[in-house]
Amino acid sequence: TELSRIRNFSIVAHIDHGKSTLADRLIQLTGGLSEREMKEQVLDSMDIERERGITIKAQTVRLDYTAADGEAYVLNLIDTPGHVDFGYEVSRSMRAVEGSLLVVDASQGVEAQTLANVYQAIDANHEIVPVLNKIDLPAAEPDRVKEQIEDVIGIDASQSVLISAKSGLGVADVLEAIVKRLPAPKGDRDAPLKAALVDSWYDPYLGVVVLVRIHDGVLRKGDRVRMMQTGATYQVDKVGVCRPTRKVDVEELGPGEIGFLTASIKQVRDTRVGDTITHEKRLCAKALPGYKPAQPVVFCGLFPVDSADFEDLRTAIEKLALNDASFSYEVETSAALGFGFRCGFLGLLHLEIIRERLEREYDIDLITTAPSVVYHLHMTDGTMTELHNPADMPDVMKIDRIEEPWIKATILVPDEFLGDVLKLCQERRGVQDTLTYAGSRAMVVYRLPLNEVVFDFYDRLKSATKGYASFDYQMDGYQADALVKMQILVNAEPVDALSMIVHRDRADLRGRAMCEKLKDLIPQHMFQVPIQAAIGGRIIARETIRALRKDVTAKCYGGDVSRKRKLLDKQKAGKKKMRQFGKVDIPQEAFISALKMD
Ligand code: GDP
Ligand code: MG
């Protein structure tokens, strides 16, 4: 295809502002999809994504569009994930396209993820077309939102396209704006092949599929290619494009085009996103600037409730990891929980998604240990080690200082809730950076320790603001502080899965809260069970679960046997979801609930 007839773009939006609905409409209007197929949102294909309304993997579709002037165009839409955990994937897909549609819900206005995502588009030098969605709603205020876009983002919004993605109103204008206002890609067909490796995933039929954006040269089936970063070479089996419902083979991909290749690549891990693909026999002079790989920032242990499920869990984790190179895992053994895996995630949502998929798709009951951030331990001998698991904390005498990761968080919130937001951030050891106004909403930027955010910050923020606050963050370096390891002892035995690193000033509060929670979560036993929080040898909090007085079956004494058996069966079923620690049974929920703070 001629360069002047290609337009590559992405859609950036805050969650729920209508990105998927608009994408579906664009697909439908260009004839890519029937009504029935429309029903299934095509771009968000995983179940969990659809339920939560988020997109995880970047996907792409190629559409054919005949413009009002009669010219035929090829439009490539790259879908980008909308959630903060996946900011890295947003940035890399942005670099494969020249323009963005900035979708803003005209009844809501600019939100935190609108900003985070549009800044990524601006960084990638995109031409941006503002699209005001949901103008069918009575609460829509397009003029106010235009003004807000200009004030807060600083781009011209006078030519915004007003639409209702739901009814289809104005969507045809979006297609015209893509063709008229977004630039065509540039590239040299005769130069050596230079293609960006945008994404890769595992397809059960095709094996590893690699999404590429061609910058220069031509990629054909049968070519021998070299990945410039990894040095690996492959013979290309297939070259194709992604249509809305299926992949279609093509003879070649030329400059400006986006498509896929397959080349008998064994694992997704063998491909490096951001790598440059060139011909083995005719190398391009200079690789494209690569991106830093996404680093897991939150770790937790995943253990099967039933230790007999360990091998099934391994198989399931290996399968999931095939498709998600940002997820890391290694075998972990816990005195309390037996064999499991220590896993690394891009953020809490990523963790929840993986955990849910393991339970739902692979039917494995899991115990999730406290999520932990990655600490930097600077040892007295001058070396530095990363601590992924509080249970592995070395002797404190050998540690000079502990550093923890910080984030810079942007929160947008209606004025009336500002006080509550500031209070929450303050409680979590936050340091205020700036406070400005974006229209009628306050925009606060806070620096916070990630450790204080991973548990339940987002939930707390939502409930404190009746759901009106929006939140986004980026990593912001490491900082030393007075951090200590707190252990929880149940019946005088430490439960390693409940150890955590806390700030010394917050330890008492956290320790007390944990003991109180566990007191309610652990059932009574025939003996008294003390629950204690300790730092080193010092007990900082204690609760006691009183001993059970009577045998539960006693009240059935002399009664009918079947009732008695039922009661015992019920107890047995309850036991399955419990773990034994010494002589004490701890129910599975205790591990998760105990770590939530109120
Ligand atoms: P995304 O999270 O940005 O992908 O948002 P979705 O496309 O999933 O839309 C979020 C919600 O807004 C869904 O319930 C849509 O039906 C609804 N929605 C999308 N566009 C419109 C619109 O133009 N008008 C109205 N009233 N609702 C819309
Ligand atoms: Mg969506």
Side-chain angles (χ1 to χ4, degrees), residues 368-371 455 498 500 510 514 590-597:
T368 316
T369 65
F455 293 106
L498 291 173
M500 57 165 76
R510 289 291 288 278
M514 289 268 278
F591 293 93
I592 304 155
S593 310
L595 299 160
K596 293 220 171 103
M597 292 175 289

Side-chain angles (χ1 to χ4, degrees), residues 8 23 43 45 66 137 203 207-208 223 271 340 416 466 469 544 546 587:
N8 299 319
L43 285 178
S45 50
T66 306
L137 293 178
D203 180 292
V208 175
D223 286 354
T271 62
E416 70 247 53
K466 300 203 164 71
T544 307
R546 277 187 295 153

Side-chain angles (χ1 to χ4, degrees), residues 14-15 83-84 113 348 424 428 453 455-463 469-472:
H14 187 75
I15 261 162
H83 191 274
V84 291
Q113 285 153 33
L348 266 199
L424 176 65
R428 300 299 172 93
V453 174
F455 293 106
D456 59 350
F457 182 84
Y458 194 56
D459 292 344
R460 290 288 310 282
L461 181 70
K462 284 277 167 196
S463 64
S470 60
F471 169 76
D472 198 85

Side-chain angles (χ1 to χ4, degrees), residues 19-21 41 44 53-55 79:
K19 186 173 77 166
S20 302
T21 312
Q41 287 204 340
D44 302 346
I54 53 160
T55 314
D79 194 20

